[in-house]
Amino acid sequence: MTRRNWNLAIGIMLVVGVIWLWAGRVPAAEPALGAAGLPPAPAVGHPAPDINLTTVSGETFALASLRGKPVVLNFWATWCPPCRAELPELQAASQRYAGQLEIIGVNQAEPAEGVTAFAQQVGLTFPIPLDTNAEASRRYAVRSLPTTFFVDRTGIIRHIQSGPLTEATLTQALRTIYP
Amino acid sequence: MLPILQLGPLALPVYPISLLLAFWAGLALSARAASRLDVDGDHIWNAGLYGLLATIIIGRLGHVIAFWPAYRIQPLDIVGLNAQAFLWGPGLLAGVIVAAWYIHRHKLPWAAVLDAAAPGVLIGLVIANLGALLAGNGVGAPANLPWAVELWGVSRHPVQLYAALGELITLAVVLHALREPSRPGTAALLGLLGWGLTTWLIEPFRAESVAVIAGIRLWQVIGLGAALAALWMLRRRAATADPSHAVEPSS
């Protein structure tokens, strides 16, 4: 290839490249890292699917009622060792951030009596909704336990953690929704 | 979408496994290419594994420093197996520095090593993109096309497949260049050119991009810059290889 052809190729790439950069800009109405207008789904950037369950203490729980507060939505079960390992971290966080964000521990398809006994034994005080027929788990596509969704004040999922949280990874993940 | 592969009681996360597979396949292909370029393939394995080790150590160390108050309460987490507890940016930088130090220390020819690395990096990117497609990572923008994939109630560009296709084409070009007699470094530059063009071309089809200024996407700028730099270096090499095309000195 002659020098002239090389220069022509570079020039064309530069011009076409800049045109495509400009044409491919993030639309002004769409935040660079947001996803307004998307349907509820268990994915980062989507609105968190709503769930309505009954807690171990017999109260009604609706995720939508927590709009305006950051929410940590943790799916767990008593038979799951990694879940048991991370629950003390979640309990400590629920006390540390009391009134500022909500920690919710959705129990997956276990009898209420066993869950209540376990929660008392470990000293869990945050709300524990019972996902008796695993409908909420299906809605959130929970394929392994524990799985934790970090939902911001507007109800958008900002981070999903599969596997156990430690003090450090919880602190890191909370930065996506708090302050 | 298959983010978790359930094998009996084992729940295996597909994306991290695809990254491990990408790393292994990349090193294997690079080591094989190296032996054709008169570079001992063992050096490629060593440089890659030392780099991986440095990535893991510095990645975790960075996380410990960044979240020290949490680790001070639970110091055993410093050596825990939690795959989320890493700062990958500093880790990868350290990995590249250590691999480069290994190549320098053993006086390996840089151009030949980069030529050997090119097909390995490309096959690694192909596998990682296929893993991302399965796991639902880095998804495409909404699209109403016959080949769109349905994800969370939205039809989307299969942008991971676009990337894998571009990288596969680049891989074919690089492998062809390695078989032909050419100046050392040519295959690596062709690989950089192909990767840059692919990234520049497909980034607007992603659902989420980091914007730099006026909505211009960061990775598109990086891709275009890489492609232009590669083309410029190929031009210079062509000029010096063929004196009749040499760039005239400015007077």
Side-chain angles (χ1 to χ4, degrees):
Chain A
M1 205 154 87
T2 64
R3 187 181 61 179
R4 179 187 160 83
N5 287 346
W6 276 109
N7 288 343
L8 193 64
I10 292 172
I12 289 172
M13 187 188 287
L14 187 61
V15 171
V16 176
V18 171
I19 290 171
W20 185 234
L21 280 189
W22 193 253
R25 281 173 303 152
V26 178
E30 173 192 329
L33 282 172
L38 294 177
V44 171
H46 283 248
D50 197 17
I51 50 177
N52 294 284
L53 299 168
T54 304
T55 68
V56 281
S57 51
E59 293 159 0
T60 302
F61 169 79
L63 183 61
S65 69
L66 299 178
R67 193 65 53 85
K69 272 188 178 179
V71 177
V72 177
L73 192 65
N74 174 255
F75 286 81
W76 68 285
T78 60
W79 51 262
C80 154
C83 304
R84 297 165 76 115
E86 73 173 3
L87 284 171
E89 309 299 345
L90 291 171
Q91 175 59 30
S94 77
Q95 290 167 332
R96 195 180 317 133
Y97 298 105
Q100 301 165 73
L101 56 85
E102 292 289 332
I103 308 268
I104 308 294
V106 180
N107 178 269
Q108 192 183 59
E110 291 187 293
E113 304 77 41
V115 178
T116 306
F118 177 82
Q120 284 172 352
Q121 181 193 336
V122 181
L124 303 180
T125 57
F126 53 79
I128 301 177
L130 296 165
D131 187 18
T132 313
N133 55 9
E135 177 55 34
S137 299
R138 270 192 290 279
R139 195 170 288 181
Y140 274 80
V142 175
R143 291 161 195 262
S144 64
L145 292 178
T147 298
T148 309
F149 296 83
F150 293 80
V151 183
D152 72 11
R153 290 180 172 85
T154 64
I156 304 291
I157 297 172
R158 292 298 174 197
H159 181 71
I160 302 171
Q161 163 99 15
S162 294
L165 291 156
T166 63
E167 177 81 20
T169 55
L170 177 60
T171 307
Q172 184 180 21
L174 282 177
R175 287 184 181 177
T176 61
I177 58 168
Y178 180 83
Chain B
M1 205 177 84
L2 185 71
I4 301 287
L5 187 62
Q6 194 75 42
L7 294 177
L10 273 183
L12 303 174
V14 166
Y15 189 57
I17 287 174
S18 75
L19 291 183
L20 283 178
L21 184 64
F23 183 75
W24 173 81
L27 274 186
L29 187 58
S30 289
R32 196 171 158 172
S35 58
R36 286 186 179 184
L37 297 166
D38 293 331
V39 175
D40 186 350
D42 284 349
H43 281 312
I44 301 295
W45 280 106
N46 290 344
L49 292 173
Y50 283 134
L52 176 67
L53 200 62
T55 299
I56 290 171
I57 292 171
I58 299 300
R60 174 57 59 85
L61 201 58
H63 203 265
V64 171
I65 292 168
F67 299 98
W68 175 242
Y71 283 100
R72 196 176 51 195
I73 299 166
Q74 295 185 335
L76 276 181
D77 285 348
I78 294 171
V79 292
L81 295 176
N82 195 316
Q84 311 280 335
F86 290 94
L87 286 191
W88 291 115
L92 285 171
L93 183 64
V96 169
I97 290 170
V98 166
W101 170 81
Y102 180 93
I103 292 162
H104 176 73
R105 177 103 164 68
H106 288 83
K107 297 183 172 57
L108 302 178
W110 271 101
V113 170
L114 291 175
D115 278 345
V121 170
L122 287 164
I123 195 69
L125 289 172
V126 169
I127 295 170
N129 270 307
L130 294 178
L133 179 71
L134 285 173
N137 291 350
V139 297
N144 188 17
L145 295 164
W147 60 86
V149 291
E150 178 90 6
L151 203 56
W152 306 308
V154 180
S155 292
R156 297 171 181 277
H157 283 286
V159 72
Q160 307 94 330
L161 272 187
Y162 299 167
L165 186 65
E167 286 146 7
L168 263 183
I169 293 168
T170 308
L171 176 61
V173 171
V174 165
L175 289 175
H176 182 262
L178 284 171
R179 276 194 291 269
E180 298 292 314
S182 58
R183 283 182 65 183
T186 303
L189 287 175
L190 287 172
L192 185 65
L193 176 63
W195 173 83
L197 286 176
T198 301
T199 304
W200 160 76
L201 194 62
I202 68 157
E203 188 65 19
F205 301 115
R206 291 193 185 278
E208 294 181 345
S209 289
V210 177
V212 273
I213 191 167
I216 290 175
R217 299 170 196 254
L218 174 64
W219 279 100
Q220 239 195 326
V221 174
I222 292 172
L224 180 61
L228 283 170
L231 203 59
W232 179 258
M233 284 189 272
L234 284 167
R235 171 193 180 275
R236 283 177 61 92
R237 297 160 73 84
T240 53
D242 182 354
S244 67
H245 299 148
V247 178
E248 290 160 14
S250 55
S251 55

